[in-house]
Amino acid sequence: MSLSDLSLRARAPNFSPPEFRAALGMFATGVTIVTARTAEGDLIGLTANSFNSVSLDPPLVLWSLARAAASLPAFSTGSHYAINILGADQKNLARRFAAKGVDRFADVTFIEGVGGAPLLAGAAATFECFNRSRYEEGDHVIFVGEVERCSHRAGASPLLFHGGKFYTEHPL
């Protein structure tokens, strides 16, 4: 039997969704806020830790968003977004952009990037992306962005997320 046999399927999982989530939480990640401007000019943004590099040439990055997210239509149809990697001192900003029913941009300092996407002041790094492609998988949409501009603060300490808690790095 070859891998091209379309009858091949994954076995049913032998774990519960909470067990899967707990296991995923053991992978320490950085914390980002993905921002954009809607076609109507409104600012949108959300906290995400599903960020990764894809390619150096061309420069590509990815992140994913739940299909149930209210901001999915805006991110799916917009031409640009920014990925702001948070510094260790931006935990409150991460919490705010993860909360529902709040003005996420109230009193937040930013400059406008490509396509109007907000670049958050104090971010450890920013990636200004063209919305190159999207892939629907499971309950999420994977966004691949082509990086048009990027910057970083040399020596900035990152904000990390592990096991449901925020951390910063400690050199070994």
Side-chain angles (χ1 to χ4, degrees), residues 45-47 66 68-71 94-104:
L46 56 95
T47 300
S71 57
R95 285 194 170 128
R96 177 192 293 195
F97 277 79
K100 293 182 180 180
V102 300
D103 180 357
R104 294 177 175 171

Side-chain angles (χ1 to χ4, degrees), residues 5-67:
D5 182 355
L6 296 178
S7 66
L8 289 179
R9 300 279 187 254
R11 290 183 182 94
N14 69 347
F15 49 84
S16 69
E19 288 172 314
F20 185 52
R21 187 176 189 92
L24 289 172
M26 292 298 100
F27 183 66
T29 66
V31 182
T32 71
I33 293 177
V34 184
T35 58
R37 193 174 288 276
T38 67
E40 297 76 34
D42 298 325
L43 299 174
I44 58 171
L46 56 95
T47 300
N49 66 345
S50 60
F51 167 78
N52 207 350
S53 62
V54 175
S55 170
L56 293 175
D57 186 19
L60 303 174
V61 295
L62 67 78
W63 65 286
S64 64
L65 179 62
R67 286 176 150 187

Side-chain angles (χ1 to χ4, degrees), residues 63-68 72-73 76 133-144:
W63 65 286
S64 64
L65 179 62
R67 286 176 150 187
L72 182 62
S76 293
S133 54
R134 289 160 302 289
Y135 302 93
E136 294 186 12
E137 289 293 338
D139 59 3
H140 277 64
V141 175
I142 301 165
F143 288 84
V144 176

Side-chain angles (χ1 to χ4, degrees), residues 108-123:
V108 172
T109 304
F110 65 88
I111 60 170
E112 222 172 86
V114 175
L119 305 178
L120 304 178

